[in-house]
Amino acid sequence: MIAPSAFDVRLASARMIAPSVRHLAFERADGGAFEFAPGQWVNLVMPLPSGEIKRSYSIASAPEGAGVRAGSDARRGRAWLDVPARIEPGATLRAIGPHGLFTREGGDAAPALFVATGTGVAPFRSMLGAALRAGGVAPMSLLLGVRFEEDILYREEFEAIAARHPNVRFAVTLSRPAEGWSGRSGYVQSHVPELLGALAKESEAAPHVWICGLDRMVSTVKDLCRKELGLDRKRVHVERYD
């Protein structure tokens, strides 16, 4: 595992990907490579009038080896980061990382079901990207739960990936669907058995489940997988945001 270190990062670009979520693309200020494992996160040190504070951000991009850019979802710490006068492209912050053991290497051959709500999808964007760059052919399904259709993060990107790669599935469920929504509805746990069963039929290898989001959802899906669906605990991986 890569040891965390402190370094300066420069905001290269920023864009809104949902009404309340901003994607930030950073590069190392020294031009060096930022090495991390898919699924890890960093701390950003933010200068406030009351003093410096640290906030954690998932790395939403896949490792690029010599690359210097990493994307982060910016829901947490949003009150500071979404003030345009304070964080615009070119701004420099102190970063500390990478951190975290919730990782899946790009060459992992085991089928995977990624279950996320909201910004919990960020580490799965990194894992999917790493797997595809490594030429991975293991079946992978991403299940994303959000409230409204406009909250679907990276929607066009994930749909394009699923269209290009027959081993990848992308499913969305809305907990508050508007009239006319024809996709899945309800909470993610109601769709896990179906998607997990489909993965099991696609490969002789036992699937792993990766769960990321708020504690209530993570605990519910973890218990479903282990107690009701009988998955070994070593095949259920969790990351909580609260």
Side-chain angles (χ1 to χ4, degrees), residues 20-226:
S20 63
V21 180
R22 195 181 188 200
H23 175 94
L24 307 175
F26 290 97
E27 58 188 8
R28 285 186 62 129
D30 61 7
F34 177 39
E35 297 182 355
F36 61 93
Q40 290 193 298
W41 51 275
V42 295
N43 275 324
L44 293 180
V45 182
M46 303 180 188
L48 298 179
S50 58
E52 291 185 340
I53 61 172
K54 295 179 183 178
R55 289 291 183 267
S56 303
Y57 292 89
S58 293
I59 303 170
S61 55
E64 298 182 6
V68 297
R69 188 168 292 191
S72 301
D73 82 67
R75 181 180 292 273
R76 282 192 272 172
R78 189 176 69 227
W80 190 86
L81 284 177
D82 276 358
V83 177
R86 295 192 181 184
I87 185 71
E88 287 292 333
T92 301
L93 298 175
R94 194 70 170 161
I96 304 171
H99 301 283
L101 301 176
F102 184 73
T103 62
R104 181 182 188 272
E105 294 300 329
D108 194 328
L113 172 60
F114 304 123
V115 183
T117 48
T119 55
V121 77
F124 298 140
R125 182 176 184 261
S126 180
M127 293 180 189
L128 270 174
L132 296 176
R133 287 181 182 178
V137 295
M140 294 178 288
S141 291
L142 171 59
L143 172 61
L144 172 60
V146 293
R147 290 183 177 181
F148 307 107
E149 188 172 1
E150 59 265 31
D151 296 324
I152 303 173
L153 305 181
Y154 305 110
R155 180 179 186 174
E156 292 183 358
E157 178 181 326
F158 288 138
E159 289 178 342
I161 289 174
R164 292 195 305 268
H165 300 274
N167 61 315
V168 178
R169 305 284 187 274
F170 176 50
V172 174
T173 183
L174 304 185
S175 60
R176 298 183 184 179
E179 185 177 352
W181 170 255
S182 59
R184 297 172 184 266
S185 61
Y187 296 115
V188 290
Q189 55 265 31
S190 62
H191 304 285
V192 166
E194 173 198 344
L195 295 175
L196 192 59
L199 271 179
K201 293 178 181 178
E202 290 186 60
S203 174
E204 294 181 358
H208 285 237
V209 179
W210 304 76
I211 313 162
C212 186
L214 298 178
D215 178 71
R216 183 175 180 180
M217 181 279 288
V218 171
S219 297
T220 298
V221 176
K222 182 186 71 172
D223 288 346
L224 169 68
C225 291
R226 292 178 57 182

